[in-house]
Amino acid sequence: MAEETIFSKIIRQEIPTPLLYQDDLVTAFRDISPKAPIHILIIPNKLIATTNDVVEDDELTLGRMITVAKKLAFEEGISDDGYRLIMNCNSHGGQEVYHIHMHLLGGKRLGPMLSV
Ligand code: AMP
């Protein structure tokens, strides 16, 4: 059983972070340390530690994460210019918080996808 992270407390609003979106499956809020003018995290309400832990039953939730990303990109006015969706996994992927999340980044022309 994965250990809860700060994201579970944000979902339950035990840490009162302003939410941009929440439904029965996913929650979205602004990244505390933005790497672009728009930097939003979209996370499943269910604790899934890494993308390695995803199972078939999660497919609806994972799809919802993308439709919510699309909706928020539109609301933030970055749909037409474009944006980037990123999910990091484990240490080589640069994952810091072990509750999967999709980064929605935009608001300027982003740099190369990877700096290795
Ligand atoms: P990752 O490296 O993909 O695990 O990304 C974790 C992200 O969570 C980082 O971009 C952090 O800035 C962000 N983060 C960590 N704690 C918080 C928090 N309390 N509220 C919002 N974003 C957070």
Side-chain angles (χ1 to χ4, degrees):
M1 182 72 183
E3 266 185 45
E4 278 196 355
T5 73
I6 192 164
F7 287 179
S8 290
K9 293 188 170 64
I10 291 173
I11 290 164
R12 295 194 296 264
Q13 288 288 280
E14 291 164 16
I15 295 176
T17 301
L19 301 182
L20 299 177
Y21 183 89
Q22 188 167 53
D23 64 20
D24 56 324
L25 295 178
V26 306
T27 297
F29 49 89
R30 292 191 196 279
D31 195 290
I32 202 167
S33 175
K35 309 296 186 300
I38 306 291
H39 187 173
I40 293 169
L41 299 176
I42 300 130
I43 71 177
N45 295 340
K46 171 190 169 186
L47 171 53
I48 304 168
T50 78
T51 51
N52 288 334
D53 302 301
V54 162
V55 294
E56 220 173 292
D57 276 357
D58 297 325
E59 287 175 359
L60 181 63
T61 301
L62 297 169
R64 183 74 57 84
M65 288 166 72
I66 294 183
T67 51
V68 169
K70 174 196 114 172
K71 170 185 154 57
L72 291 173
F74 181 79
E75 287 175 5
E76 298 285 324
I78 61 173
S79 295
D80 287 347
D81 286 336
Y83 50 88
R84 191 170 288 163
L85 300 175
I86 298 175
M87 294 180 80
N88 296 322
C89 180
N90 279 340
S91 60
H92 281 195
Q95 185 173 4
E96 291 171 3
V97 178
Y98 282 78
H99 181 137
I100 62 168
H101 45 281
M102 180 178 285
H103 298 260
L104 165 60
L105 295 146
K108 69 170 188 183
R109 184 179 292 277
L110 301 171
M113 192 166 71
L114 294 175
S115 51
V116 287

